[in-house]
Amino acid sequence: MPSQPDLPEPAHPNIDSMLTRKFGKEVANYFAGSPLNRVSFLRTDQGFLSAAVRHPTTSFLLLNNLAPLAHNPSKLSFASLKDVSPLIGEDPYSKSEEELIQSYDSKITIPQIIFLGLDETEKSGFEWTIYKGAPFFALDVTPKGSTEEAAKRLIEEKESKDLKFLEGRTHMSLPAHEAAIYAPARALLDWNGRNPFCAQCGQPTLSINAGWKRTCPPTDMSSVNAAIGGTTDAKPTERPPCATRKGVHNVNFPRTDPTVIMAVLSADCSKILLGRGKRFPPLWYSTLAGFVEPAESVEEAVRREVWEESGITLGRVVIHSTQPWPYPANLMIGAIAQAVPGGEEILLKHDPELEDAKWVTLDEVREALDIGTSGLGEGPGERYKEGGLRLPPKTAIAHQLLQAVVGGLVCGEPKI
């Protein structure tokens, strides 16, 4: 089993506060704790983006079909503007958003770039007014459209240097700070790739706001550009009217899907509820989870999902911590809940999602957290005892929820 990376430090871990004294130290989960300042208010600043993308300290994380470029599964590889300029040009932000919309041509492929933020630990990095740091961008190098050949050449050039694009659904062996850079890169490139057309009128959309929004342009210059050098008096094609061009809600924003995941204690605090999906490896269990539905509170979602999947009736629900999950765009909201007396009988007939659910003693969970954790596609560690319980690795929020419970959060010292 690959070694499990350390988790990120929470913000200001050594500063005492009334909240820390009452609730304990904040929990930061894997894929969180980004070293970058997103400075989201600068995503519409053409001057800032143009200067940032051309700075010598700027780094690009390249993704091919959402697979990140890396030295190995534990170390990402970053490119420079010189590396990627054959694909994106010397200054992809030479035009303002207004100019981009006016000159929109549906026949031209614009490589998707995401501004991720500034690494403020880089003291000799880029400066813009009061903001300092090394800029980071994500770039989709998937060969497609009019940039297909340039993208293929860039991929071949990188792979010739013993670098590779990491295939697979999850990448949880990266150091925490790199995982937190990769997570928004993957999530935003995936969202842009899934939304090439307007949900209102069906026409192609254009990426704006440094990759964090999409808009539906009113005209298409493809007919004009195709006619250049010809004899016709070509004009931009007026696209059909679209409701997204009216009012303040005139752009498409990235989606984030809230998902609850919960460690459930028995009424007497002696056992924890675990479940296993049909695709889980033998003996591998986890906490229950499910999507929050519209007009539903997090606490209601926890109670509903647990009852639907296991038949257990819950009382009090407390939120513990959260984890961004970029597969494709989830926010895992971790909770700890307790069953009500008389509501602990397991019944799987409501929702057939689980293959099995069972109550497990705290001691058995504690031992499994120590010697029986692994990712879904990995074998257990060397100290694992054959036939023992297996649980998710510490990079999963489920692990942190279980660790909190066996550590006495509910039935011991009342601190998160």
Side-chain angles (χ1 to χ4, degrees):
M1 181 188 74
S3 61
Q4 298 176 22
D6 292 332
L7 297 181
E9 278 284 351
H12 312 296
N14 300 318
I15 295 180
D16 184 35
S17 70
M18 293 179 66
L19 287 174
T20 301
R21 275 177 255 145
K22 184 171 181 62
F23 297 108
K25 184 178 178 180
E26 181 179 323
V27 177
N29 288 294
Y30 197 70
F31 290 129
S34 175
L36 306 183
N37 182 345
R38 298 190 180 198
V39 286
S40 61
F41 46 87
L42 293 176
R43 292 172 188 157
T44 57
D45 189 326
Q46 177 203 354
F48 165 77
L49 293 171
S50 176
V53 80
R54 293 180 289 124
H55 197 267
T57 62
T58 297
S59 298
F60 293 83
L61 177 59
L62 311 185
L63 291 92
N64 179 16
N65 284 315
L66 301 179
L69 184 67
H71 295 275
N72 55 59
S74 299
K75 186 179 181 182
L76 294 175
S77 176
F78 293 91
S80 67
L81 178 61
K82 181 180 179 181
D83 296 326
V84 301
S85 58
L87 179 62
I88 67 172
E90 294 296 333
D91 184 4
Y93 296 107
S94 60
K95 292 182 179 180
S96 67
E97 284 191 357
E98 183 179 353
E99 291 171 328
L100 280 174
I101 294 171
Q102 289 176 348
S103 63
Y104 173 71
D105 184 337
S106 61
K107 301 295 185 185
I108 297 176
T109 303
I110 302 176
Q112 184 64 59
I113 308 174
I114 311 293
F115 172 63
L116 299 174
L118 299 175
D119 180 0
E120 295 176 321
T121 64
E122 181 55 71
K123 302 302 182 184
S124 61
F126 170 69
E127 295 187 21
W128 185 262
T129 63
I130 63 172
Y131 311 106
K132 301 178 182 180
F136 276 74
F137 291 82
L139 173 62
D140 184 8
V141 298
T142 307
K144 64 181 78 170
S146 58
T147 60
E148 181 176 359
E149 293 307 314
K152 285 181 177 178
R153 287 193 294 270
L154 177 55
I155 291 170
E156 291 170 0
E157 189 265 331
K158 288 298 179 183
E159 291 181 334
S160 71
K161 296 180 178 178
D162 258 354
L163 302 174
K164 58 182 178 181
F165 291 90
L166 298 178
E167 302 290 344
R169 182 177 177 273
T170 58
H171 302 293
M172 301 184 74
S173 57
L174 295 170
H177 70 282
E178 289 193 357
I181 293 174
Y182 158 72
R186 188 200 189 282
L188 267 295
L189 289 180
D190 190 14
W191 170 74
N192 276 280
R194 289 171 184 261
N195 292 272
F197 299 102
C198 177
Q200 175 67 30
C201 69
Q203 295 293 313
T205 54
L206 172 68
S207 175
I208 57 172
N209 204 236
W212 291 79
K213 297 178 185 177
R214 297 190 72 87
T215 190
C216 183
T219 59
D220 188 342
M221 294 289 288
S222 58
S223 58
V224 174
N225 294 335
I228 290 177
T231 58
T232 61
D233 294 326
K235 295 181 180 180
T237 301
E238 293 288 334
R239 306 216 301 181
C242 183
T244 65
R245 301 190 201 113
K246 300 177 181 178
V248 295
H249 301 293
N250 56 356
V251 290
N252 186 10
F253 292 86
R255 63 182 288 175
T256 295
D257 301 325
T259 306
V260 290
I261 181 167
M262 41 275 174
V264 175
L265 270 164
S266 60
D268 64 0
C269 281
S270 67
K271 298 181 291 292
I272 300 175
L273 179 68
L274 297 176
R276 57 175 281 108
K278 297 177 175 63
R279 298 182 294 106
F280 286 6
L283 305 173
W284 205 92
Y285 282 75
S286 185
T287 56
L288 274 58
F291 289 102
V292 180
E293 295 189 342
E296 182 178 49
S297 72
V298 169
E299 292 83 358
E300 289 172 320
V302 168
R303 294 187 185 97
R304 174 183 55 77
E305 283 288 343
V306 170
W307 180 82
E308 288 179 353
E309 294 184 5
S310 70
I312 304 298
T313 302
L314 298 183
R316 185 75 164 93
V317 175
V318 176
I319 296 174
H320 173 268
S321 62
T322 60
Q323 179 180 35
W325 189 254
Y327 303 105
N330 299 109
L331 177 63
M332 308 295 289
I333 304 170
I336 295 174
Q338 194 165 15
V340 300
E344 299 170 309
E345 182 181 356
I346 293 175
L347 187 65
L348 300 181
K349 71 177 184 180
H350 300 309
D351 182 345
E353 182 174 336
L354 295 180
E355 180 182 87
D356 186 35
K358 64 180 181 179
W359 290 105
V360 181
T361 66
L362 267 64
D363 284 342
E364 188 177 355
V365 172
R366 193 176 287 113
E367 180 181 30
L369 288 171
D370 183 37
I371 64 173
T373 64
S374 68
L376 273 175
E378 304 164 352
E382 294 180 359
R383 297 168 55 219
Y384 174 72
K385 299 175 184 177
E386 196 63 38
L389 176 67
R390 297 178 60 187
L391 293 173
K394 66 180 181 180
T395 47
I397 190 173
H399 182 111
Q400 302 308 315
L401 296 174
L402 294 172
Q403 195 74 60
V405 170
V406 301
L409 173 61
V410 178
C411 306
E413 183 70 15
K415 286 186 178 182
I416 294 176

